[in-house]
Amino acid sequence: MRKLENSELERLSVEGFKAVEKTPLIVVLDNIRSLNNIGSVFRTSDAFRIEKIYLCGITATPPHKDIQKTALGSTESVEWEYAENTLELIQKLHAESVQVISIEQAENATMLNKFTPKPNTTYALVFGNEVKGVSQDVVNLSDAVIEIPQYGTKHSLNISVSCGVVLWDLFSKLD
């Protein structure tokens, strides 16, 4: 087995990415502190052709060298917007018939492996702060909560890892 060269990967250009149909998923980053995590989420969102990223509250915005270090240019391909207030953003998304799902550990949460996305539905996935998670007010406004099953001694994953797991799972179920 031979490793492929970058030139063999047939990747889209930034213009091609912007023109192609997107996966009906929106990422909402609610008060993310780590610029490296933000950059990683951009890169993962590019990989799965996510519609848009909303950067909320204290979440930093491009351009920033620490975001760019992990984003590797994906801040240019993935559409993004800053929203100061996450609750107002969720109300706006609801008005646009977007289903809002918080990724959190909560009572009556649906385990990710048991969640089946509905066809012709756009989902906004809210990922919360590295320490406090998704705020209770945001969880209260969400249409559902998805929890990533975990079987070890720790009770959380890094936000960028959580985003990768959830986006891959939903992308594969929508395909």
Side-chain angles (χ1 to χ4, degrees), residues 3 18 21-22 32 60 70 78 80-81 101 109 126 129 158:
K3 233 175 92 168
K18 289 182 177 187
E21 184 177 350
K22 303 297 184 291
I32 303 303
T70 51
V78 179
W80 65 271
E81 182 178 332
I101 298 176
V126 183
N129 178 275
N158 177 282

Side-chain angles (χ1 to χ4, degrees), residues 111-128:
M111 291 297 163
L112 178 60
N113 55 314
K114 303 289 185 190
F115 179 77
T116 303
K118 296 175 188 158
N120 305 314
T121 303
T122 299
Y123 293 96
L125 308 167
V126 183
F127 295 89

Side-chain angles (χ1 to χ4, degrees), residues 100-117:
V100 176
I101 298 176
S102 286
I103 309 303
E104 187 56 85
Q105 296 163 327
E107 292 175 338
N108 302 314
T110 301
M111 291 297 163
L112 178 60
N113 55 314
K114 303 289 185 190
F115 179 77
T116 303

Side-chain angles (χ1 to χ4, degrees), residues 78-91:
V78 179
E79 184 178 347
W80 65 271
E81 182 178 332
Y82 177 76
E84 184 175 345
N85 188 298
T86 309
L87 296 174
E88 289 175 9
L89 171 63
I90 290 172
Q91 292 167 340

Side-chain angles (χ1 to χ4, degrees), residues 25-38:
L25 298 173
I26 295 166
V27 171
V28 178
L29 297 183
D30 184 27
N31 291 305
I32 303 303
R33 298 175 312 162
S34 166
L35 283 79
N36 291 325
N37 282 337
I38 297 164

